[in-house]
Amino acid sequence: MDSTAPPQRRRRGRKGDPAGRRQAILDAALAHFLAEGFAATTLEGIARQAGVAKGTIYLYFADKQALFRALVQDRISPVIGGAEALVPQFPGPMAALLRQLARTFVREVLGTERRQLLRLVLTEAPRFPWLAEIYWQEVVSRGLGLIRAVARQGVARGEFASSALERFPQLLPAPLLMAFLWTTLFDRFEPLDVEGFVESYLDLLLRDLEGTPS
Amino acid sequence: MDSTAPPQRRRRGRKGDPAGRRQAILDAALAHFLAEGFAATTLEGIARQAGVAKGTIYLYFADKQALFRALVQDRISPVIGGAEALVPQFPGPMAALLRQLARTFVREVLGTERRQLLRLVLTEAPRFPWLAEIYWQEVVSRGLGLIRAVARQGVARGEFASSALERFPQLLPAPLLMAFLWTTLFDRFEPLDVEGFVESYLDLLLRDLEGTPS
DNA sequence: ACTATTAATGACCATTGGGTCATTATTAAT
DNA sequence: ATTAATAATGACCCAATGGTCATTAATAGT
């Protein structure tokens, strides 16, 4: 996370590790964008933290926005991969799979620094349409697809009586989003038991999907 | 919404309507903050749209942040009032009341420019702790209180078999938040039938609250 | 009329920050 | 060694912006 070059070297000319530099810049940029948002982040600040001169950044990125874009693209994609690998070969019932997906999200995103990246995307996306688009392509559409697939499979196998989740796959991430928002903004006023909340919601959702009493 | 002073007057000295000026400035500020966010909004731009010189803003507000603060405080509070008036004297069953609360939110917030204000709060709050605090005091805590009251009442009257909503009042707004986010960011890729989504969720939630089959 | 008071102005200031580029250090090739 | 190629630098440029204040116009009181 902290990537200020170890001892303050002062080098010039060709350098050994261009990929490392790129990474250092990206790391520093992430830290600053997270803390201050896009508009308030200064290239000077990024450069200082990366142990690099301001001009150097422009050797790796066309401008501030390109840097932001590269950052997002580099770090966002890997998230969904695991889930996509898990779904098609899951042994147990679909209800259990949905539970696991939700829990994985809580553990792997809400419980790590990835949550900060999520926050960055959510807060900057309204102002950068391309950001929403990348996020849609790389994460949201794929996630939705997964949920739909599971929902459909559940119905096909006779495990689910309702197809509500297929029509509205957003039902699954809704409480996760709420938990995210809550812990980001309001936890200091009234802490939320995220685990309990999510489990509670899953009980409710799955109970309804499995047997619609009516 | 649009508040550029009617014809471009050029006045000096004492003026007739100081309250009107204040309002004009606030209107213009709202438009700009919504479109560009706090950091990217310029006082010059606000002044121009308000039909006022930049210096004039400083007669009404101490600085940029105070302006933002006043804006939020002025416009946010009235929202919850209606709901608070409705709840204590609602005639029908509590389930119907919850439905009405959710629908009102969809109609009165998601369906109006208030949604923009909500977006502004949500995107800027992480960077302005005092914003989260105001929003907590004026809206969130009161809203939560209402939901808890309804949940408790429902249980007391024997209408609800589960007290899940009392423990996690966030269960009610969760899908509303999702609908909000979705329509803000992803509607252009895959439109969401908000009404259907919310109703679908309410069915699910209320069915579960009313009779927990188990 | 004349004066005191005050609302409003906008030129101005100081600072900041994105972006450029001539210069310099380092390495690779010959 | 000498040269060519290139990685890195940071002083510099310039536009933009938050904030100030001497000046000016309108009004109220007398």
Side-chain angles (χ1 to χ4, degrees):
Chain A
M1 185 135 274
D2 192 344
S3 305
T4 33
Q8 272 203 316
R9 309 198 212 164
R10 195 58 60 104
R11 297 266 224 62
R12 274 181 179 255
R14 198 169 276 189
K15 205 235 145 191
D17 185 10
R21 283 243 140 149
R22 217 189 115 94
Q23 272 309 309
I25 294 172
L26 283 174
D27 287 344
L30 179 59
H32 279 258
F33 284 137
L34 286 180
E36 302 149 27
F38 180 83
T41 292
T42 72
L43 290 233
E44 185 53 46
I46 294 175
R48 207 178 318 123
Q49 184 170 348
V52 150
K54 190 167 57 164
T56 305
I57 295 180
Y58 288 86
L59 297 180
Y60 293 89
F61 306 96
D63 57 12
K64 193 182 180 185
Q65 193 166 317
L67 170 59
F68 186 37
R69 195 187 211 111
L71 179 64
V72 172
Q73 229 146 2
D74 265 32
R75 314 261 161 143
I76 259 183
S77 295
V79 182
I80 280 278
E84 270 172 341
L86 174 67
V87 166
Q89 41 96 45
F90 186 80
M94 292 300 101
L97 178 50
L98 290 178
R99 278 202 136 88
Q100 187 163 137
L101 287 175
R103 282 179 191 143
T104 301
F105 179 87
V106 170
R107 206 181 45 241
E108 298 295 321
V109 177
L110 295 191
T112 68
E113 357 94 291
R114 267 198 268 277
R115 70 172 285 116
Q116 306 290 2
L117 188 58
L118 178 61
R119 199 195 72 203
L120 183 64
V121 170
L122 263 31
T123 56
E124 301 291 353
R127 231 159 297 138
F128 298 99
W130 58 264
L131 216 195
E133 182 160 0
I134 289 177
Y135 200 60
W136 165 257
Q137 287 177 342
E138 301 285 329
V139 180
V140 180
S141 69
R142 290 161 70 184
L144 272 210
L146 283 180
I147 298 173
R148 276 215 181 87
V150 175
R152 192 158 17 223
Q153 183 70 226
V155 172
R157 291 194 196 168
E159 294 175 17
F160 294 158
S162 157
S163 65
L165 188 59
E166 201 182 327
R167 265 200 308 143
F168 295 117
Q170 293 90 346
L171 284 171
L172 186 63
L176 303 176
L177 176 64
M178 172 55 90
F180 165 75
L181 179 84
W182 194 274
T183 54
T184 302
L185 298 184
F186 306 124
D187 224 47
R188 61 189 158 125
F189 305 115
E190 186 175 315
L192 173 66
D193 168 14
V194 174
E195 310 265 321
F197 174 63
V198 171
E199 291 302 322
S200 204
Y201 178 85
L202 288 174
D203 290 347
L204 189 150
L205 173 67
L206 293 176
R207 217 181 283 140
D208 199 79
L209 285 183
E210 288 177 331
T212 343
S214 102
Chain B
M1 182 139 272
D2 194 345
S3 304
T4 34
Q8 271 204 316
R9 310 196 212 164
R10 195 58 59 104
R11 295 265 223 64
R12 275 183 177 254
R14 197 170 276 188
K15 205 236 148 191
D17 185 10
R21 286 244 138 153
R22 216 188 116 94
Q23 272 309 310
I25 294 172
L26 283 175
D27 287 345
L30 179 59
H32 279 259
F33 283 137
L34 286 181
E36 302 149 27
F38 180 83
T41 292
T42 72
L43 287 246
E44 184 54 47
I46 294 175
R48 205 179 319 125
Q49 183 168 349
V52 149
K54 191 167 56 166
T56 306
I57 295 180
Y58 288 87
L59 297 181
Y60 293 88
F61 306 95
D63 57 12
K64 193 181 179 185
Q65 193 166 317
L67 171 58
F68 186 36
R69 196 188 211 106
L71 178 64
V72 171
Q73 229 146 1
D74 264 32
R75 314 262 161 143
I76 260 184
S77 296
V79 182
I80 280 279
E84 270 172 343
L86 174 67
V87 166
Q89 40 99 48
F90 185 81
M94 292 299 101
L97 178 51
L98 290 178
R99 278 202 136 87
Q100 187 163 138
L101 288 175
R103 282 178 191 144
T104 301
F105 179 86
V106 170
R107 206 180 46 241
E108 298 295 322
V109 177
L110 295 192
T112 68
E113 358 94 293
R114 266 198 268 278
R115 69 173 284 116
Q116 307 290 1
L117 189 58
L118 177 61
R119 199 195 73 201
L120 184 63
V121 170
L122 262 31
T123 56
E124 300 290 354
R127 229 155 354 228
F128 298 99
W130 58 263
L131 216 196
E133 182 160 359
I134 289 177
Y135 199 61
W136 166 257
Q137 287 177 340
E138 301 285 329
V139 180
V140 180
S141 70
R142 289 160 70 184
L144 271 209
L146 283 180
I147 298 173
R148 277 217 181 85
V150 175
R152 193 161 15 229
Q153 184 69 225
V155 172
R157 291 194 195 168
E159 294 175 17
F160 294 158
S162 157
S163 65
L165 189 59
E166 201 181 327
R167 265 199 308 142
F168 296 116
Q170 293 90 347
L171 285 171
L172 187 63
L176 303 176
L177 177 65
M178 173 55 90
F180 164 76
L181 179 84
W182 194 273
T183 54
T184 301
L185 298 184
F186 306 123
D187 223 47
R188 59 188 159 128
F189 306 114
E190 186 175 315
L192 174 66
D193 167 15
V194 175
E195 309 266 322
F197 175 63
V198 171
E199 291 302 322
S200 202
Y201 176 80
L202 288 174
D203 290 346
L204 189 151
L205 173 68
L206 294 176
R207 217 180 283 140
D208 199 80
L209 286 183
E210 289 178 331
T212 344
S214 101

